[in-house]
Amino acid sequence: MSMKLFLENNRGILLAYDQGLEHGPTDFNDRNVDPAFIMELAASAKFHGVVFQKGLAEKYYNGRVPLVLKVNGKTSLVKGEPLARQNCSVERAHEIGAKAIGYTIYVGSAHEGIMLEEFGRIQEEAHKLGMAAIAWIYPRGEAIKNDTAPEIVAYAARTGLELGADAVKIKYTGDVESFRWAVKSAGKAKVFMSSGPKAPSEVDFLRQVRGVLDAGATGLAVGRNVWQNSDPSRMARVLRRLVIEDRSVEEALKV
Ligand code: FBP
C-alpha cells in the first residue's frame, strides 16, 4: 500500500500525539494538553499526517490532515517486558477516517510474538480497506541492551519490511553511515525517524533530522520536539524547510 498521501517531494512529517496514553499528561503544558490545539497545529502548519489514538480522533479529528490512527498502545504504569495490544479495530479506524493505522511492536520483548501476530492481521485488514500500515518498531525489554545500536536499529527496520509495513518508525543510530544501512535494510518500506524527548537544543534535534535524511530516510514522526517548543508553528516551519525543501540546518533555521 502506498504512503503517497503522506508525502510531499517524497518526504513526510507526521505529528505524533499519543503520548497522553504512553506517558500520561506529564509531557503536556496548559496549551498542548488540549488535543484541539494539536489538531489546529497539524492543519495550519501543514503536517503530512497527525497521529492519534481512537479517543482523540473521535472527539477532535476534523479531517484537515490525513489521520494515522494508533490501534495499540500501553501506559507507562506497567513494568516488566513491554506489551501493547490492539485497542481499536481496523474497521473502526477506517470509519473515523484514518488513512493509515499505526501499531507499536516491541521487538526483543518476551511478548513480541503477540505483537508480531497482531500486526500481521492488522496489516492485512488495513490493506483490504485501502489504508497503509505504519509500524513503530521499538527494540525493548530485558534482551535489548542498547536500542540505538546500529545492528539493532537495522534489525528493527528490516523487521518492518518482513512483516509488510508500508513505513517503519525507528530511532536514529546517531550517525549517517550506520543509519544508511538501516534505511537500506528497510527496502521499500519508508523510514521515519522517531524523535524522542525534547533535545537539549533545536540545533541538536535538527542535526539528527538532517542525518536521517542524508541517510536516505523519508522523514520523521515528531511530537515533543514540536509541541513542547515555545513556538510550535515556527518549529514546524523550520522542519518543513529542512525536510521538504531539503535545506541545511543553518538555512532551515532562517525563518
Ligand atoms: P515523540 O516525538 O514525542 O518522541 O513521539 C514519538 C513517539 O513514538 C510517540 O508516538 C510515542 O508516544 C512515544 O514516542 C513513545 O515514547 P517511548 O519511547 O517512551 O515509548
Side-chain angles (χ1 to χ4, degrees):
M1 189 60 55
S2 166
M3 282 290 293
K4 237 185 191 151
L5 199 67
F6 296 96
L7 306 180
E8 180 181 349
N9 294 344
N10 258 323
R11 295 259 172 89
I13 312 172
L14 307 175
L15 188 62
Y17 191 65
D18 59 340
Q19 293 81 356
L21 174 64
E22 298 292 333
H23 305 149
T26 172
D27 283 351
F28 303 146
N29 60 28
D30 271 352
R31 190 170 56 163
N32 61 35
V33 71
D34 181 2
F37 171 77
I38 301 293
M39 188 62 245
E40 180 52 36
L41 173 67
S44 61
K46 297 192 176 69
F47 278 88
H48 302 92
V50 63
V51 182
F52 286 146
Q53 282 275 344
K54 176 172 75 176
L56 298 197
E58 286 180 339
K59 292 187 175 59
Y60 297 92
Y61 179 61
N62 63 16
R64 289 172 64 202
V65 173
L67 173 66
V68 179
L69 200 88
K70 267 311 288 297
V71 297
N72 75 336
K74 65 165 186 57
T75 72
S76 61
L77 301 171
V78 183
K79 303 299 171 205
E81 292 291 289
L83 171 63
R85 295 212 60 161
Q86 183 174 12
N87 57 29
C88 172
S89 69
V90 174
E91 202 176 10
R92 182 67 189 133
H94 188 248
E95 278 169 11
I96 298 171
K99 296 291 185 275
I101 61 92
Y103 186 98
T104 302
I105 302 171
Y106 296 109
V107 289
S109 162
H111 306 300
E112 76 161 26
I114 296 172
M115 292 171 278
L116 297 187
E117 184 190 341
E118 265 188 10
F119 181 76
R121 178 176 42 74
I122 283 165
Q123 181 263 16
E124 291 172 21
E125 292 171 4
H127 284 183
K128 269 192 195 135
L129 291 169
M131 291 183 288
I134 306 177
W136 275 226
I137 308 203
Y138 292 161
R140 216 163 272 183
E142 265 300 295
I144 306 294
K145 297 299 166 231
N146 177 4
D147 67 346
T148 56
E151 68 279 10
I152 293 290
V153 174
Y155 201 166
R158 185 63 176 212
T159 302
L161 177 67
E162 301 280 346
L163 297 175
D166 302 295
V168 294
K169 186 158 162 320
I170 55 176
K171 281 195 183 173
Y172 188 37
T173 52
D175 73 281
V176 177
E177 272 324 302
S178 64
F179 204 71
R180 191 169 283 138
W181 177 242
V183 172
K184 199 155 195 184
S185 301
K188 287 187 184 176
K190 306 277 183 203
V191 173
F192 288 79
M193 177 182 94
S194 181
S195 303
K198 194 152 175 277
S201 76
E202 284 184 2
V203 171
D204 285 320
F205 171 60
L206 296 170
R207 288 214 174 105
Q208 288 180 36
V209 180
R210 190 63 257 170
V212 306
L213 296 173
D214 290 344
T218 294
L220 73 157
V222 56
R224 289 165 284 181
N225 276 286
V226 165
W227 44 253
Q228 285 182 351
N229 191 287
S230 57
D231 189 346
S233 301
R234 182 187 144 275
M235 192 51 177
R237 285 201 300 280
V238 170
L239 276 175
R240 280 190 71 85
R241 286 166 64 84
L242 189 74
V243 179
I244 309 302
E245 297 174 19
D246 208 21
R247 296 177 192 255
S248 66
V249 170
E250 293 68 28
E251 275 298 310
L253 278 164
K254 290 181 192 156
V255 287

